[in-house]
Amino acid sequence: MALFVVFQTTFFLTLLSLRTYQSEVLAERLPLTPVSLKVSTNSIHQSLHLQWTVHNLPYHQELKMVFQIQISRIETSNVVWVGNYSTTVKWNQVLHWSWESELPLECATHFVRMKSVMDDASFPEPNFWSNWSSWEEVSVQDSLGRGILFVFPKDKLVEEGSNVTICYVSRNIQNNVSCYLEGKQIHGEQLDPHVTAFNLNSVPFIRNRGTNIYCEASQGNVSKGIEGIVLFVSKVLEEPKDFSCETQDFKTLHCTWDPGTDTALGWSKQPSQSYTLFESFSGEKKLCTHKNWCNWQITQDSQETYNFTLIAENYLRKRSVNILFNLTHRVYLMNPFSVNFENVNATNAIMTWKVHSMRNNFTYLCQIELHGEGKMMQYDVSVKVNGEYFLSELEPATEYMARVRCADASHFWKWSEWSGQNFTTLEAAPSEAPDVWRSVNSEPGNHTVTLFWKPLSKLHANGKILFYNVVVENLDKPSRSELRSIPAPANSTKLILDRCSYQICVTANNSVGASPASIIVISVDPENKEVEEERIAGTDGGFSLSWKPQPGDIIGYVVDWCDHPQDVLQWKNVGPNTTSTVISTDAFRPGVRYDFRIYGLSTKRIACLLEKKTGYSQELAPSDNPHVLVDMLTSHSFTLSWKDYSTESQPGFIQGYHVYLKSKARQCHPRFQKAVLSASMLIHILLPMVFCVLLIMIVCYLKSQWIKETCYPDIPDPYKSSILSLIKFKENPHLTIMNVSDCIPDAIEVVSKPEGTKIQILGTRKSLTETELTKPNYLYLLPTEKNHSGPGPCICFENFTYNQAASDSGFCGHVPVSPKAPPSMLGLMTSPENVLKALEKNYMNSLGEVPAGETSLNYVSQLASPMSGDKDSLPTNPVEPPHCSEYKMQMAVPLRLALPRPTENSSLSSITLLDPGEHYR
Amino acid sequence: MSCPLAHLCLLTLLLPPLSSAAPISLAESISQAYSLALYMQKNTSMLLQTYLQYQGSPFSDPGFSAPELQLSSLPPATAFFKTWRTLDDGERLSLAQGAFLALTQHLQLVRDDQSDLNPGSPILLAQLGTARLRAQGLLGNMAAIMTALGLPMPPEEDTLGLVTFGASAFERKCLGYVVTREYGHWTDRAVRDLALLKAKYPA
C-alpha cells in the first residue's frame, strides 16, 4: 500500500513536472513576433504593400494567426488606421498585405507596425499578443525629383459620387498656392507647412476626358508655376436592362439588352464596359463583342432550360442580371414566306403562306391584316406549316394589301415580322343606278331633252365604268326602243323627241355588266306649267329653299339650278317627305343670280315643275351705269330714257333708279334734289304745271317775307339761303313729274344707285357690302357750261321705297322724308328751320356716307340765264322764287307693287318739264 | 491649307533630292522657305488656341499663359536680340533646324496623346498633323539653303529620348501646350531668320 502511495505521488510529480516543461516551451514559442517587415508603395493604387515573416513557427505546421496592423501618418503617434488581419501561417512563409490610402502617399510619410497572436484551436488558451514590431517608415516625397510644386494623385480613376482626397506638396513655403477644380478654387486642410490636402466629396462626372484640378504657386502676383492632375471620374456602371434571349432556328440564341450609359473614359483610362454571358447549366461563358447583343450557339439539342447571367464590368464595378427560361418558350419565328392569293374574284380571295418549320408538331398562331379602302381588318388563324385563309366580303375592283405574321401557338413569345402582298379583286356589275336628271327645251313639234347623270361613286361603280346605255321608249305608241351607248366619262347626252311621252332608262356599264336602270319619263308637255318665280335671299353658305308639299303620289323632289359661269345643270334629289332643303356649294358666287326650279317626281317618274326661286348668294351693286338718253327737250321738259339691266347682268336685284336733277347756274347750297324712280316702269317726268306751280305759289306767297329775307338778302349769301318744297305726287304711278322751275339746271345726272334688296319674304338678308363708287355719268346739255364746277341749286327726288340716307357725291344733299309722313309733318318740313336742319343733316350725311355707284345726269337749261343775280330779267312771276327749292319724292312708286318685272331691254324714260320762268338767283 | 502656293512648297521641299533635276538657286531656296514660314506663321496661333480649347481649365481659360512651363527637350525660341543678330547664317540656320527637328517629333507625340485623350476631335488632330508636316517642309527648305551655302548639316538627334513616357495626363497636356506654343515662337523666329537671309541673298 505504501508502495502504491509512493508510486502515485511520483506519477503526479512527474506529470506536474511535464506540465511545467510544456508551459515553459510554449512560453518561449508564443511571442511569434512578426519580423522582417518591409513596406513598399504603389503610387498608381495609392497603396502600401507589407510583407513580413513569422519566426519560431513549428516545422511543417500550419497555424492560424491574427496580425494587428497600425498605420500612422506624418508621425508615429498619429495613427490613422488600426486593423486585424487573420491568416494561416506556415513555417518560413512570407506574408503579404496591402492597404489603400485615401491620402496620396506622396503627400505624407507613413509609419507601419504590427503585432500578432496565435488563434489556433490546437493551442489552448490563454494566448498572448506578441510585442509590436518596430515602426517602419515609408516616404516617397524624396523621390519626387526637382520641382517646386506637385499635385497628387495623378490620373486617378474614381466613380461618380465617390469621395476623393487630393493633395499638393509645395517645396517652397514662401510660395502661395491656390488650387482649382475646373477653374473653381477649392480649399483644403494643411497637413504640414509643405502639404495641403483637399477632400472632394461626391465628385461629379463632367466629361469623359477627365476633370482638371490644378494648383498655381505664386509669390505676390508672380506665378511661379502650375501643376495639376486629371481626375478621371467614371459614370456608375448600370445594370443591363431588358435582358432577354430568343431563338429563330433552335441553333442560335440571340440575346439582347439595353446597356445603359457607356462608362468609357478618355486617355485609355477606362474602356467601355465589357459584357459576358455565362450559362450555369453548361458552365460555359462567352465574352460579348457588342455592347447590346450577343449570340449563343446551341450545341446540345437536349438542353431545354437555360440559366443565363449577363455580367457587365468595368474597372470599377461589376453588375449582372439573370434569366432562366425554357428554350421552346423563346421562339421568335422568322417571317412567313410564299404569301399568295388564289381564286381571287370580286368579293373573295384565298390567302396562302408558309411558315418556317421549327420542330415537328409545332402549331403556329398567325395573324392576318387586310388593308383596303382606308380600312383594316384583322383575323387570327391557327396553322401547321401551310397557312390558308379565306378572305370574304371584299369590295370589287379594289386593291388590297394583306400581310401575315406568326408565332408559336403553344408558348406565345412574340410575333414574327410581317410578310405581305398586294392583290386586286375583280370587277362586278355596278350596284346602283346612276343619278340622272334632264332639262327639256320645248320647241314647236318636239322637245330637246338633255340628260345629265352623275358618275357613280367607286363604291357603286364596282370597276371602271366604260359606257352608259340610254334606252328611249315611246310610251304613247308601240315602237322599238332606241338604244344609245355613250362612252364614259361623258355625263350628258341630248335627245330630240317628238311630242309623245317617253320613258328613258339610263344604265352605267363596266366590263362585267350594267347597273340597275335609272328611269325618267318625259311627258307630252313637260314644262307647260306657268309657275311664278319667287325671290329668295341666299347667304354665303348657300340657299335655303322650301316649297309647298305636293298632294298626290310623289316619290321625291328634285331641285335643279345652273352653275355659273359654266352653265352646268346641277340638281339635288330630295325625299318625298321633305319640303325644304339647303343648297350649298362652293360654286355659288356673289353677284350672280341663281334660278332654282323645284320639281315633284310622280310615281310614273314624271317630273312636274312646282316652284321657281331666284336669288343671289350675295347681291352686289351694279357695276355699270345705265346708258341714259335725253330726248324731247323743250323749255319745260325733257325725257330721259335708258335700258333696263338684263337679268344676267344684274349683280343684285335692281330696285329702282335715281334721277338727280340740279342746276348749276346759280350759286346755291351745295345740294341738289334727286328723284328715285321705279326701275320697272316707264318714267315720264312731266311737270303738271297747275298742281306744282300752284303749290309753290301758295307756299311762296305765304312765306314771301321770309323768302325775301332768306333768298334775297341785301348781300346775297348763297350758303345761307335754302328753301325746300316738297311735293308728293303719286297719283299716276307711271308718271313722275318734277317741277324744276326754280332751278336753272345745268346738266342732268343719272345715278344708278344700289339700293340693296330689302326682301322680307325669306327672312333676314345680309346688308349690302360696300360698293365701289361709280363715276357719275354727266350729260351736259350745254357744252359751254361743262367746266362749271361750282355748287348749284338742285332738285332731289327720292324713291320713298327706301328710307336710306344716301346721297350723291359730296356736294348734294337731300331731305329725308318718310313716305308715310303725314301732311302735317310735310308742312313742318317746309318751315325754314326744319328745312335748314334737314339740309344740314343731310349735307353731313352726304359728306360722310357717299353712296357708291350713283350716276348723275346733269341738265343745263338752254333758256335760263346762267348769270346769277339777274333779278330784273325774271319773267312775270307772282311769287318770287325761293333761292333753292328742293323737291322731295315728287314721284315715287313702290317698285314691286306697281309694275310687273320689266322685260329685258325694256326702255325706261323720264320726262322732266322745266319752267324757264323760274330760276335761281 | 487654302494656299496653293504653300502646298507646292511642301511638295517640292519634302522631296528635294528627287524632284529637282535642275538645282534651284540659293535665292529661290530662301524665297521658298520664307514663303512657307510666312504661311505657317498665319496658322500657329490658331493651332495653339484650338489645342488649349480642348484641354479644359486652366488651359481653356481666356488669356491662359504659362511662360514658366518649358520643356528641356525643346530649345526655347526666345533669345536676346543682340545674341541672335550676331549669330552667323550657319549658326542661325542650325539652331532653327535643331528646333524644328525637335518640334516635328514633339508634335507627333502631342498628336498621339491627343488622339488618346480627345479621339473625337478631328479638327485638333488634323491641325497637329498639318503643323508637323509643315515643320518637316521647313526643315527640308532650310536643309536646301544650308546645302546651297555649303554649310554642314547638323546631326539628327532623337530629342524625344529625353521625354518620359510615364507622364501624367496633366503633364502631357502641359507638354502639348509648350510644344504648340514653341512651334509658334520658332515659326516667328524662322520668319525673321529667313528675312535676314533674303535680304542678304536677293534674287
Side-chain angles (χ1 to χ4, degrees):
Chain A
M1 186 67 192
L3 185 65
F4 176 74
V5 170
V6 169
F7 176 76
Q8 196 180 31
T9 307
T10 309
F11 176 78
F12 275 111
L13 282 171
T14 309
L15 197 67
L16 190 65
S17 62
L18 268 173
R19 179 88 183 169
T20 310
Y21 171 76
Q22 196 180 23
S23 297
E24 280 172 4
V25 168
L26 275 176
E28 278 176 18
R29 290 169 65 185
L30 270 177
L32 301 174
T33 311
V35 293
S36 307
L37 177 62
K38 287 179 185 164
V39 185
S40 58
T41 56
N42 181 334
S43 282
I44 294 170
H45 294 109
Q46 273 178 230
S47 59
L48 294 176
H49 186 72
L50 280 61
Q51 64 177 53
W52 69 97
T53 55
V54 181
H55 279 184
N56 304 328
L57 277 174
Y59 188 65
H60 293 307
Q61 195 174 1
E62 273 194 5
L63 291 172
K64 201 174 175 187
M65 291 185 73
V66 177
F67 300 92
Q68 189 172 71
I69 303 165
Q70 268 193 350
I71 298 173
S72 300
R73 192 174 278 160
I74 301 170
E75 54 191 31
T76 53
S77 59
N78 180 28
V79 176
V80 292
W81 192 85
V82 179
N84 289 348
Y85 169 55
S86 298
T87 185
T88 52
V89 190
K90 284 188 280 188
W91 178 80
N92 223 12
Q93 185 190 356
V94 179
L95 293 154
H96 297 270
W97 183 78
S98 288
W99 176 76
E100 194 175 324
S101 171
E102 285 174 11
L103 181 73
L105 299 175
E106 294 88 349
C107 288
T109 305
H110 287 77
F111 301 92
V112 182
R113 70 173 182 175
M114 64 168 67
K115 62 182 180 182
S116 61
V117 68
M118 190 72 73
D119 184 27
D120 201 290
S122 60
F123 285 88
E125 300 282 342
N127 286 326
F128 304 101
W129 280 101
S130 72
N131 293 325
W132 284 105
S133 68
S134 58
W135 285 105
E136 197 63 30
E137 181 180 337
V138 194
S139 175
V140 286
Q141 279 195 8
D142 297 338
S143 61
L144 291 180
R146 289 188 298 166
I148 55 163
L149 185 64
F150 303 90
V151 184
F152 299 101
K154 292 190 184 297
D155 300 354
K156 189 175 173 66
L157 172 66
V158 295
E159 203 169 58
E160 183 180 23
S162 56
N163 299 333
V164 181
T165 302
I166 65 160
C167 59
Y168 70 78
V169 178
S170 174
R171 284 279 161 78
N172 187 350
I173 58 168
Q174 304 294 320
N175 284 343
N176 180 26
V177 180
S178 305
C179 294
Y180 304 86
L181 188 149
E182 287 291 317
K184 195 174 176 185
Q185 190 166 3
I186 51 176
H187 300 282
E189 175 194 356
Q190 194 173 32
L191 300 183
D192 70 29
H194 295 279
V195 178
T196 298
F198 302 84
N199 293 315
L200 308 177
N201 293 324
S202 188
V203 287
F205 172 86
I206 295 175
R207 64 181 82 81
N208 60 11
R209 302 197 303 272
T211 305
N212 283 1
I213 299 164
Y214 71 97
C215 300
E216 185 169 23
S218 58
Q219 283 186 15
N221 286 330
V222 181
S223 172
K224 292 292 177 183
I226 62 168
E227 189 56 59
I229 58 164
V230 180
L231 186 68
F232 290 91
V233 182
S234 162
K235 287 234 165 213
V236 179
L237 178 64
E238 294 173 32
E239 189 175 87
K241 291 184 274 291
D242 306 330
F243 176 44
S244 76
C245 298
E246 62 198 15
T247 184
Q248 286 198 310
D249 52 8
F250 285 98
K251 290 174 186 163
T252 308
L253 266 170
H254 180 66
C255 299
T256 56
W257 59 91
D258 174 6
T261 314
D262 188 349
T263 61
L265 293 174
W267 224 302
S268 306
K269 202 63 197 171
Q270 178 173 266
S272 294
Q273 63 267 30
S274 67
Y275 290 92
T276 308
L277 265 185
F278 174 69
E279 204 284 306
S280 64
F281 293 113
S282 62
E284 287 179 36
K285 192 180 247 189
K286 184 184 180 185
L287 182 65
C288 300
T289 48
H290 297 91
K291 64 174 188 177
N292 61 346
W293 63 270
C294 206
N295 279 342
W296 183 272
Q297 295 300 319
I298 299 170
T299 51
Q300 293 176 322
D301 280 347
S302 55
Q303 187 176 353
E304 287 287 319
T305 311
Y306 288 80
N307 185 5
F308 276 110
T309 304
L310 175 68
I311 304 145
E313 198 172 352
N314 65 9
Y315 288 173
L316 298 166
R317 197 186 276 268
K318 193 184 270 192
R319 307 292 290 261
S320 65
V321 284
N322 192 77
I323 50 170
L324 174 71
F325 61 87
N326 191 314
L327 187 63
T328 54
H329 297 180
R330 292 288 186 273
V331 177
Y332 171 51
L333 289 180
M334 281 188 265
N335 52 326
F337 62 105
S338 294
V339 178
N340 275 310
F341 299 94
E342 295 167 4
N343 300 339
V344 179
N345 61 31
T347 53
N348 303 317
I350 296 170
M351 181 182 184
T352 62
W353 66 94
K354 286 187 164 64
V355 182
H356 289 274
S357 178
M358 301 287 286
R359 286 180 176 180
N360 291 335
N361 300 320
F362 249 62
T363 306
Y364 305 101
L365 177 67
C366 292
Q367 191 171 63
I368 296 162
E369 264 186 19
L370 181 68
H371 296 258
E373 300 287 287
K375 289 181 288 190
M376 191 273 277
M377 303 294 287
Q378 204 173 59
Y379 316 100
D380 289 341
V381 57
S382 179
V383 303
K384 284 292 184 182
V385 176
N386 295 317
E388 183 178 302
Y389 191 78
F390 181 70
L391 299 167
S392 58
E393 296 179 352
L394 304 175
E395 296 292 340
T398 303
E399 186 175 24
Y400 285 93
M401 195 280 279
R403 57 182 193 168
V404 61
R405 60 181 180 178
C406 300
D408 177 12
S410 47
H411 301 102
F412 185 90
W413 167 239
K414 64 163 75 165
W415 290 111
S416 70
E417 292 293 309
W418 291 102
S419 287
Q421 195 79 263
N422 286 9
F423 70 99
T424 304
T425 49
L426 301 181
E427 290 191 355
S431 58
E432 195 160 272
D435 183 4
V436 179
W437 187 235
R438 88 294 180 275
S439 73
V440 180
N441 265 342
S442 295
E443 290 155 24
N446 58 39
H447 309 302
T448 301
V449 177
T450 311
L451 290 175
F452 298 91
W453 54 86
K454 292 174 182 170
L456 285 174
S457 68
K458 191 177 179 304
L459 180 70
H460 297 126
N462 289 342
K464 188 182 180 192
I465 298 298
L466 301 175
F467 57 91
Y468 294 88
N469 276 345
V470 178
V471 178
V472 183
E473 188 186 347
N474 192 322
L475 296 177
D476 294 344
K477 50 190 175 187
S479 61
R480 283 182 59 188
S481 301
E482 187 194 341
L483 167 69
R484 283 195 197 188
S485 205
I486 296 128
N491 63 353
S492 67
T493 188
K494 198 169 271 188
L495 307 169
I496 295 172
L497 308 174
D498 59 16
R499 289 196 169 271
C500 291
S501 296
Y502 283 92
Q503 174 177 288
I504 301 170
C505 300
V506 182
T507 56
N509 295 261
N510 62 16
S511 66
V512 176
S515 69
S518 187
I519 300 167
I520 53 175
V521 172
I522 308 295
S523 60
V524 178
D525 204 358
E527 304 260 327
N528 60 344
K529 193 175 169 189
E530 280 296 324
V531 177
E532 193 162 315
E533 186 176 71
E534 183 189 5
R535 286 187 179 184
I536 54 168
T539 64
D540 285 346
F543 292 88
S544 182
L545 305 173
S546 62
W547 56 91
K548 294 186 194 84
Q550 203 62 17
D553 291 334
I554 292 289
I555 60 166
Y557 297 95
V558 176
V559 180
D560 77 4
W561 71 97
C562 265
D563 258 356
H564 294 287
Q566 296 88 357
D567 274 342
V568 179
L569 184 70
Q570 306 288 331
W571 70 96
K572 182 178 180 181
N573 296 307
V574 184
N577 300 323
T578 314
T579 55
S580 67
T581 187
V582 174
I583 309 288
S584 59
T585 157
D586 293 338
F588 288 138
R589 303 196 315 175
V592 176
R593 185 183 291 195
Y594 293 93
D595 296 322
F596 297 92
R597 288 174 297 187
I598 297 152
Y599 294 85
L601 277 180
S602 72
T603 47
K604 291 178 179 174
R605 309 266 172 186
I606 298 171
C608 175
L609 179 63
L610 305 179
E611 291 183 27
K612 283 183 179 176
K613 316 261 181 186
T614 187
Y616 295 83
S617 67
Q618 185 190 343
E619 286 189 71
L620 300 178
S623 55
D624 300 321
N625 294 322
H627 186 70
V628 179
L629 293 172
V630 182
D631 202 7
M632 299 167 65
L633 187 67
T634 69
S635 60
H636 295 85
S637 72
F638 58 85
T639 303
L640 303 177
S641 62
W642 60 90
K643 274 189 174 178
D644 197 1
Y645 289 90
S646 67
T647 307
E648 292 76 25
S649 69
Q650 290 184 23
F653 293 116
I654 298 293
Q655 299 291 327
Y657 295 84
H658 286 290
V659 175
Y660 294 83
L661 184 62
K662 66 177 178 181
S663 165
K664 62 186 282 187
R666 293 280 188 275
Q667 281 200 340
C668 192
H669 299 285
R671 301 150 193 156
F672 63 81
Q673 287 188 343
K674 63 181 178 182
V676 179
L677 303 174
S678 169
S680 52
M681 67 183 196
L682 178 73
I683 301 169
H684 195 99
I685 303 171
L686 180 68
L687 187 69
M689 286 295 289
V690 178
F691 182 82
C692 291
V693 171
L694 269 176
L695 187 64
I696 293 166
M697 283 171 67
I698 292 162
V699 171
C700 291
Y701 178 77
L702 291 171
K703 300 289 181 181
S704 58
Q705 274 310 110
W706 175 79
I707 289 166
K708 182 167 176 58
E709 285 172 17
T710 308
C711 290
Y712 295 95
D714 291 336
I715 303 167
D717 185 354
Y719 290 96
K720 276 186 181 173
S721 66
S722 174
I723 289 225
L724 285 173
S725 187
L726 296 132
I727 301 166
K728 188 172 178 184
F729 183 85
K730 52 187 216 176
E731 285 177 2
N732 183 356
H734 294 265
L735 206 61
T736 297
I737 299 164
M738 178 167 68
N739 186 350
V740 287
S741 60
D742 293 335
C743 295
I744 300 172
D746 309 318
I748 295 167
E749 188 179 316
V750 176
V751 179
S752 67
K753 183 171 175 263
E755 286 292 352
T757 51
K758 298 214 173 180
I759 301 158
Q760 305 300 324
I761 306 160
L762 290 172
T764 57
R765 64 171 293 279
K766 207 176 169 187
S767 63
L768 267 178
T769 54
E770 279 299 316
T771 51
E772 61 184 61
L773 188 66
T774 308
K775 195 179 171 188
N777 182 12
Y778 290 93
L779 291 182
Y780 287 97
L781 304 180
L782 287 181
T784 49
E785 301 274 327
K786 234 183 226 177
N787 53 0
H788 178 86
S789 58
C794 43
I795 299 173
C796 187
F797 289 79
E798 183 164 308
N799 188 341
F800 68 85
T801 313
Y802 306 102
N803 189 16
Q804 183 174 333
S807 179
D808 80 333
S809 53
F811 53 86
C812 286
H814 65 270
V815 182
V817 178
S818 165
K820 292 167 187 155
S824 60
M825 192 173 164
L826 289 174
L828 278 172
M829 289 301 289
T830 55
S831 72
E833 292 82 6
N834 292 339
V835 167
L836 275 171
K837 275 181 195 165
L839 280 171
E840 276 166 19
K841 182 185 171 201
N842 284 281
Y843 182 60
M844 296 307 288
N845 280 347
S846 66
L847 283 175
E849 301 165 28
V850 179
E854 293 194 355
T855 297
S856 57
L857 179 71
N858 292 341
Y859 172 72
V860 181
S861 167
Q862 292 173 329
L863 303 174
S865 165
M867 301 296 290
S868 60
D870 192 5
K871 201 190 277 184
D872 297 334
S873 66
L874 283 171
T876 52
N877 196 330
V879 182
E880 288 202 326
H883 205 204
C884 177
S885 294
E886 299 197 10
Y887 292 82
K888 287 292 294 178
M889 280 170 267
Q890 195 172 36
M891 171 63 205
V893 181
L895 174 64
R896 291 192 57 78
L897 296 174
L899 283 175
R901 277 185 73 197
T903 54
E904 251 182 58
N905 305 322
S906 65
S907 184
L908 307 177
S909 67
S910 169
I911 296 173
T912 303
L913 224 65
L914 303 170
D915 185 353
E918 305 255 341
H919 56 195
Y920 291 90
R921 281 280 169 123
Chain B
M1 290 295 277
S2 58
C3 174
L5 178 67
H7 274 284
L8 191 67
C9 296
L10 276 177
L11 286 173
T12 53
L13 296 171
L14 282 171
L15 304 163
L18 298 171
S19 58
S20 54
I24 54 171
S25 70
L26 172 63
E28 281 174 25
S29 294
I30 294 169
S31 179
Q32 275 190 6
Y34 180 70
S35 297
L36 176 60
L38 271 183
Y39 180 69
M40 286 162 68
Q41 201 178 23
K42 287 178 185 167
N43 297 297
T44 52
S45 69
M46 189 164 68
L47 171 68
L48 179 61
Q49 289 311 313
T50 310
Y51 177 83
L52 292 176
Q53 176 195 322
Y54 277 96
Q55 309 311 314
S57 179
F59 307 100
S60 57
D61 296 345
F64 170 77
S65 171
E68 69 280 2
L69 285 180
Q70 294 289 342
L71 276 177
S72 58
S73 52
L74 203 57
T78 48
F80 289 109
F81 178 73
K82 193 179 174 186
T83 315
W84 171 77
R85 196 65 178 79
T86 51
L87 292 171
D88 64 34
D89 296 342
E91 287 170 328
R92 207 177 287 119
L93 281 171
S94 188
L95 284 171
Q97 269 232 316
F100 276 96
L101 195 62
L103 278 170
T104 54
Q105 292 169 25
H106 280 88
L107 284 167
Q108 184 65 61
L109 175 69
V110 174
R111 192 182 181 283
D112 292 349
D113 281 347
Q114 290 299 314
S115 68
D116 197 7
L117 177 66
N118 289 310
S121 55
I123 296 168
L124 172 62
L125 298 181
Q127 286 189 15
L128 285 167
T130 307
R132 181 175 156 270
L133 201 64
R134 286 177 186 158
Q136 277 185 332
L138 194 61
L139 273 176
N141 268 309
M142 288 194 288
I145 296 167
M146 289 178 88
T147 310
L149 286 171
L151 296 168
M153 297 292 286
E156 271 202 29
E157 280 180 43
D158 187 2
T159 52
L160 265 183
L162 301 167
V163 174
T164 52
F165 288 102
S168 71
F170 196 85
E171 285 161 352
R172 290 197 262 176
K173 286 183 178 186
C174 290
L175 178 134
Y177 159 66
V178 177
V179 170
T180 48
R181 184 192 67 196
E182 290 303 311
Y183 171 72
H185 291 170
W186 270 109
T187 304
D188 293 341
R189 181 162 161 173
V191 170
R192 297 293 296 267
D193 290 345
L194 293 165
L196 272 186
L197 276 179
K198 207 165 178 268
K200 195 168 173 184
Y201 302 101

